[in-house]
Amino acid sequence: MSMEHEWKAPNLHNVAFLRSAVKESDFPTDSLPQIVFAGKSNVGKSSVINKLLNRRNFARVSAQPGKTIHINYFDIDKRMYLVDLPGYGYARVSKAEQQRWGTLMETYFALDLLTLGIQIVDIRHKPTWDDVTMAEWFRASGKPWVIIANKLDKIKKSQLEENLAVIRQTLLLPEEVPVIPFSAEKGYGRDQVLALIFDHMRKDDLG
Ligand code: GDP
């Protein structure tokens, strides 16, 4: 008998903030899958997380971009961790803060806790050097990773293919990394991203 049909998706209403991690001992090391969200400040990372969870104000929509150099852990139905990496690439951030960001990334990625990486970029623009760096962290992790191209509602349909191609080329994405057009505002792409997350959780659960 296949276990496939017994697998239940997590209850996305059963969500709680767990903690902010700043050092190695803060990271949960149990076997729950860790779905990691990364993106440039202001790309809409909080909005995307809120849309996926159907919450209005769960991941705080940033009032002060770049001010948070810690990793937020959310517990999703005791089934997975949603890991919110600090936004990067905020123009007014100091050298010292950039270094703290890099050190925190090194700490997290060295622990090898990641199950699935979700990198959010702006569908309107060529990814920045910081986006390329973040993509390199995910690529080097050897774990599955996907790109959410957010703010789809802000481009014309005729621009879609070209913009997706620019994102793919600039981030040097391996073929297996999907780029999912998304709008946190309108909800486009939500079902596709959730299906992807659940698929990775299911694989993880089945060992
Ligand atoms: P964060 O800094 O990456 O967490 O970004 P926020 O979630 O705070 O979003 C930054 C700004 O972009 C806010 O004004 C959001 O309302 C807006 N925003 C986020 N996602 C979308 C989207 O899909 N479409 C549009 N039009 N605006 C968005």
Side-chain angles (χ1 to χ4, degrees):
M1 191 180 79
S2 152
M3 295 212 17
E4 205 75 13
H5 61 275
E6 292 175 13
W7 190 87
K8 276 208 183 71
N11 176 4
L12 295 183
H13 299 292
N14 188 15
V15 178
F17 174 74
L18 185 68
R19 71 174 81 104
S20 288
V22 293
K23 57 183 190 304
E24 190 166 330
S25 58
D26 295 337
F27 293 100
T29 53
D30 58 42
S31 60
L32 290 186
Q34 301 202 8
I35 315 293
V36 178
F37 287 77
K40 196 161 80 80
S41 294
N42 226 32
V43 72
K45 180 158 57 66
S46 313
S47 304
V48 168
I49 293 171
N50 286 330
K51 177 51 73 180
L52 290 173
L53 298 175
N54 264 336
R55 294 288 184 104
R56 199 172 281 275
N57 227 332
F58 195 67
R60 185 183 52 91
V61 174
S62 47
Q64 290 177 295
K67 282 293 172 202
T68 46
I69 314 275
H70 51 245
I71 297 179
N72 283 326
Y73 269 79
F74 300 94
D75 168 335
I76 313 284
D77 201 24
K78 307 261 187 277
R79 295 280 302 283
M80 68 174 229
Y81 296 115
L82 190 162
V83 185
D84 186 10
L85 296 184
Y88 51 79
Y90 182 55
R92 275 191 280 147
V93 97
S94 67
K95 262 265 148 15
E97 280 175 291
Q98 283 176 38
Q99 271 164 9
R100 280 180 58 209
W101 186 87
T103 305
L104 192 56
M105 288 307 107
E106 272 163 32
T107 305
Y108 180 74
F109 280 93
L111 290 167
D112 197 31
L113 298 169
L114 166 73
T115 305
L116 170 68
I118 298 187
Q119 182 177 4
I120 304 165
V121 298
D122 191 322
I123 202 164
R124 296 172 295 174
H125 309 303
K126 186 180 155 92
T128 64
W129 192 84
D130 291 308
D131 290 323
V132 176
T133 304
M134 191 68 236
E136 183 54 23
W137 278 105
F138 281 124
R139 197 200 53 73
S141 77
K143 300 293 172 65
W145 133 70
V146 306
I147 308 295
I148 286 182
N150 190 37
K151 308 200 182 185
L152 175 62
D153 57 288
K154 292 219 182 195
I155 62 166
K156 295 197 196 90
K157 227 185 185 147
S158 58
Q159 298 172 290
L160 180 62
E161 287 311 314
E162 169 68 11
N163 291 21
L164 293 179
V166 168
I167 289 168
R168 187 163 275 290
Q169 283 155 18
T170 309
L171 295 179
L172 304 168
L173 295 179
E175 207 139 314
E176 68 273 15
V177 176
V179 181
I180 303 173
F182 197 96
S183 168
E185 184 108 342
K186 306 278 185 207
Y188 304 136
R190 178 177 185 269
D191 292 346
Q192 200 185 342
V193 171
L194 286 178
L196 233 145
I197 291 173
F198 293 162
D199 199 45
H200 283 279
M201 286 181 73
R202 187 188 297 117
K203 282 185 198 143
D204 209 68
D205 285 347
L206 298 176

